[in-house]
Structure formats: C-alpha cells, structure tokens
Amino acid sequence: MMLKLSDRNWKEFNAFGTDGLFEIHTTNSSIDKNKLLSGDTLTVPYVTRSGGSNGVSKFVSSENYRYGFDNGKSITVGLDTQTAFYQPYKFVTGQNIQVVTGEHLTPSVIQFLLPLFRSQLTAKFNWGGNGATLSRMKRLKLLLPVNAMDQPDYAFMSDYVDQQKKQLQSKYVIYAQKKLQMLGTPKPLKTLSELNWGYVHINDIATVKSGKDIYAHERVSGDLPYVTSGTSNNGIGYFVGNDNKSKADHVISVNRNGAVGEAFYHPYTALFGNDCRTLVLNEQYEYAPFFIAAMLRKQKDAFSYSRKLGTARLKVLRIMLPVESDGKPDYDYMEQYVKNKMIQKYDHYLKYLNASVIGSNKL
C-alpha cells in the first residue's frame, strides 16, 4: 500500500533544547581553508556554509581528521546561508557550521527531515542580523507525523523516504535507458591533449544578447525557467509564468553579474534576467554547446563583482577550443566528445542504481 503524508496525524515538536528531539552544537573544528593540511590522498569532505554540493567545498587530506567531526549520519546547518545537508561520513567543517545529531537520525529519516529544516530556516532566518545562531536554532520547532503514542513516527518517515526513493530510481532507470538508446554507442576520439587548440573570439562564433529582469513583484508562478546569475541548477532562479523578449532556447547563458562568468547551456526554452547574457551560436549542434559552456567557465577567474562580464567584454572574450587546420572550431569533435561523456555517465548511474537495488534486496 502506498504511504501518503495526508494519511498521518501531525504534531509540533521542539527540535532542540532540554525537551528537544535532537542535539545541536557548534563543532570545534571550524578552520579556514588556509589552515587545512595537504596530503597525498584527498578523501575528507570539507563542509562549509555554501549552498551546493551538499555543502562540500572541497576534499582534503585525512591528516585533517584531528579537526574533524567524529559522528557521521548527521545534518550540517550553515549560519547566514540557512543551508541544511546530510553528511553520511566523517568530515571537516568550515566556519559558521552547526551540526545536528540524534539517535533516531538514520539516513532515511534525515532525508525526510531535511526539507522541513530548510523550510523553517528559510522562513525564520535570513542573511544579516537574523541569522541561524545556536540560541535561535534551539527555539526551532518542527511539524512531524506521529504514531499511536503521539510521538514522532520515525518508522513512517523512513519507510516513506524509501518508497519515494524506489519510485524515483525506477523512473530514472527508464529515463537513462532511453537516453543511452538515443545517444548510441561511444566513438573513439583523440584525447584532449592530442588536439590542436586555438583562441576563438566569442563574437566570431555567437551573437550576444541581453536579458530582461523580472522583479519579484512582477513574477507570476509557472513552469518556465527564469535564469538569473546563480551558480547552481543551471542558473535557474525561479519558475515563472511570465513572458518577455529574453525568451530563447538552445543558448548559452553567461553571468554578467552575481557569480560572474558562470556559463550554462539551455537546450530548453527559458527566460533570462539582465544579469545574464545569452549566446546564440552561429553553428547549431546538439551537444557541442555543453563543451563551449565549460570552456567559457574556465575564464571566470578573470572577472569579479567589480569587473563584470558585460556585452562589450563578452564579445571580445577569447576562449580556447579544439580547432581544425583552418583555425575554425572543431564542432564535430566537441559534439562527439560530449556524447561520449554522457554515455559514460548514464552507464555509470545505471550500474550504481542496479548495484543499490541488488544490495537492498539482500538486506
């Protein structure tokens, strides 16, 4: 029988404190990047308050374990950024991180709780004077499903997450299999080091266009991606029901402001804010634009908040690309290179999922 959230009774609980469900504390391992020890093997997650990659900024040497947090299977909360992530392994923390632990925090229960923590953090705290300090976090409350004894139903939380996970895995297997069938088989290519490379001006391979802002009071809820100037989710900040002249598909967005220099390829239709510029490539390929976007991102260190990447600079920007004997971009190589990588990744994902299913059936 399918488990449903609407079939449960729910009750509010103190998340922390003397009568709270979990423990929260600031670790004594908060160290700056410049104090991290180097080593031959970089296997330890360095968790910061950033909003992507599970909060993992980089991997560091196991020599840093002396600063590490001993308990895996925990939740890290980023101050000011109001981020919350599951940490299944021992890790080293950056500054302004709090760690949530508890006897009931199994991996599946944590996955159930994370959206609840994030919604509360976003609703009650913000950047600046009202950040998620330890004292404020101790007053946090969570609305949770309860069992017959009117206590948090951790068994339901775990079973519900496992059910959702299996459904998503089944959908992804079907999706990945279709993608692999469409992509075909990988083709042998020269390695990147064997290629001829050359500088290419953006103005020679694309037309640069400006975006158009949709301010908060103008946004209408909808399904159309609205690309801003972020670093994650392909730069998509919102999904809207608006429409304007920036609407485009099969374009590369480049951040003019914000996370300056970040670039993403959008084969789907989207709207673009004025902190973005869009590149309409002269040569239309299905996969080569992903390669070009990656090479654009290589240039982002040359720009910053004080040196923005506007239209004029973007047009004359030079990026390194594989080139043919006449110096023109080798689009065919880039196209097949990306296809090969996609085939490799989808194949890896399927093997991982199949192994996970086999492993879970043995338990």
Side-chain angles (χ1 to χ4, degrees):
M1 184 177 69
M2 292 290 293
L3 299 175
K4 297 180 179 179
L5 298 177
S6 58
D7 292 340
R8 316 301 298 182
N9 292 323
W10 293 68
K11 180 181 175 181
E12 191 174 70
F13 294 89
N14 292 323
F16 311 109
T18 55
D19 60 343
L21 302 175
F22 315 110
E23 298 176 1
I24 184 169
H25 51 272
T26 301
T27 72
N28 60 3
S29 60
S30 297
I31 54 177
D32 295 324
K33 285 186 179 181
N34 60 3
K35 295 181 180 179
L36 291 171
L37 302 175
S38 60
D40 295 332
T41 57
L42 306 179
T43 58
V44 181
Y46 175 60
V47 178
T48 66
R49 53 182 175 167
S50 60
S53 303
N54 234 43
V56 178
S57 172
K58 61 190 294 186
F59 287 88
V60 299
S61 169
S62 58
E63 295 177 38
N64 294 283
Y65 268 158
R66 69 169 114 173
Y67 304 110
F69 191 75
D70 292 332
N71 194 346
K73 298 181 181 178
S74 55
I75 298 172
T76 52
V77 177
L79 301 184
D80 295 329
T81 53
Q82 286 67 248
T83 52
F85 295 108
Y86 168 45
Q87 305 299 339
Y89 306 110
K90 190 172 181 179
F91 57 91
V92 175
T93 64
Q95 293 182 345
N96 299 314
I97 294 290
Q98 294 170 347
V99 180
V100 178
T101 60
E103 62 175 312
H104 296 291
L105 291 185
T106 64
S108 292
V109 169
I110 289 176
Q111 295 297 345
F112 187 97
L113 293 172
L114 277 176
L116 304 180
F117 271 114
R118 288 168 181 157
S119 64
Q120 288 295 300
L121 289 169
T122 302
K124 297 183 180 299
F125 308 114
N126 54 57
W127 182 276
N130 192 36
T133 63
L134 186 60
S135 59
R136 288 169 181 159
M137 285 292 293
K138 286 183 177 179
R139 298 194 293 269
L140 199 69
K141 297 181 182 293
L142 294 176
L143 190 65
L144 299 175
V146 294
N147 55 26
M149 295 178 288
D150 217 28
Q151 294 300 308
D153 196 341
Y154 296 109
F156 169 79
M157 297 182 209
S158 181
D159 291 342
Y160 181 82
V161 168
D162 291 344
Q163 169 189 278
Q164 297 300 109
K165 183 177 179 180
K166 288 179 181 178
Q167 288 180 338
L168 290 174
Q169 286 179 336
S170 297
K171 290 180 180 179
Y172 184 79
V173 166
I174 295 172
Y175 172 80
Q177 288 172 339
K178 288 182 178 179
K179 292 293 289 187
L180 283 172
Q181 185 177 10
M182 181 181 69
L183 289 164
T185 57
K187 295 180 181 179
L189 290 174
K190 290 182 179 180
T191 64
L192 295 176
S193 61
E194 295 174 317
L195 296 175
N196 292 322
W197 291 78
Y199 284 111
V200 177
H201 282 96
I202 294 301
N203 205 35
D204 291 335
I205 63 171
T207 300
V208 180
K209 295 186 176 182
S210 298
K212 181 176 175 57
D213 285 332
I214 304 174
Y215 299 106
H217 68 275
E218 299 175 322
R219 289 181 208 134
V220 178
S221 180
D223 300 324
L224 191 62
Y226 174 48
V227 180
T228 54
S229 57
T231 60
S232 59
N233 299 324
N234 249 33
I236 298 171
Y238 309 91
F239 286 88
V240 300
N242 302 71
D243 194 4
N244 61 41
K245 65 178 184 180
S246 74
K247 183 189 287 187
D249 58 69
H250 295 88
V251 296
I252 297 174
S253 66
V254 183
N255 289 354
R256 177 192 71 89
N257 197 10
V260 183
E262 285 287 350
F264 302 100
Y265 176 52
H266 308 273
Y268 44 81
T269 302
L271 299 176
F272 301 86
N274 195 43
D275 278 338
C276 298
R277 294 294 180 264
T278 55
L279 304 185
V280 182
L281 296 173
N282 298 338
E283 300 287 339
Q284 292 297 308
Y285 283 80
E286 190 171 359
Y287 300 102
F290 288 106
F291 193 109
I292 296 171
M295 299 310 295
L296 271 162
R297 285 194 292 273
K298 298 285 187 183
Q299 300 296 318
K300 66 182 181 181
D301 288 344
F303 303 95
S304 65
Y305 184 78
S306 59
R307 189 172 188 267
K308 304 185 191 307
L309 185 52
T311 301
R313 282 179 176 154
L314 186 55
K315 285 182 176 181
V316 298
L317 181 68
R318 298 192 305 170
I319 61 173
M320 290 288 287
L321 292 178
V323 294
E324 299 175 334
S325 57
D326 58 3
K328 293 182 179 179
D330 191 345
Y331 292 105
D332 290 334
Y333 177 89
M334 291 186 278
E335 181 84 353
Q336 189 59 51
Y337 181 87
V338 174
K339 288 179 70 174
N340 284 358
K341 287 296 180 182
M342 288 181 129
I343 293 168
Q344 182 186 61
K345 288 295 183 182
Y346 282 124
D347 187 57
H348 286 174
Y349 295 152
L350 284 175
K351 287 178 180 177
Y352 171 78
L353 289 176
N354 288 332
S356 298
V357 170
I358 292 172
S360 63
N361 289 338
K362 288 181 179 180
L363 297 178

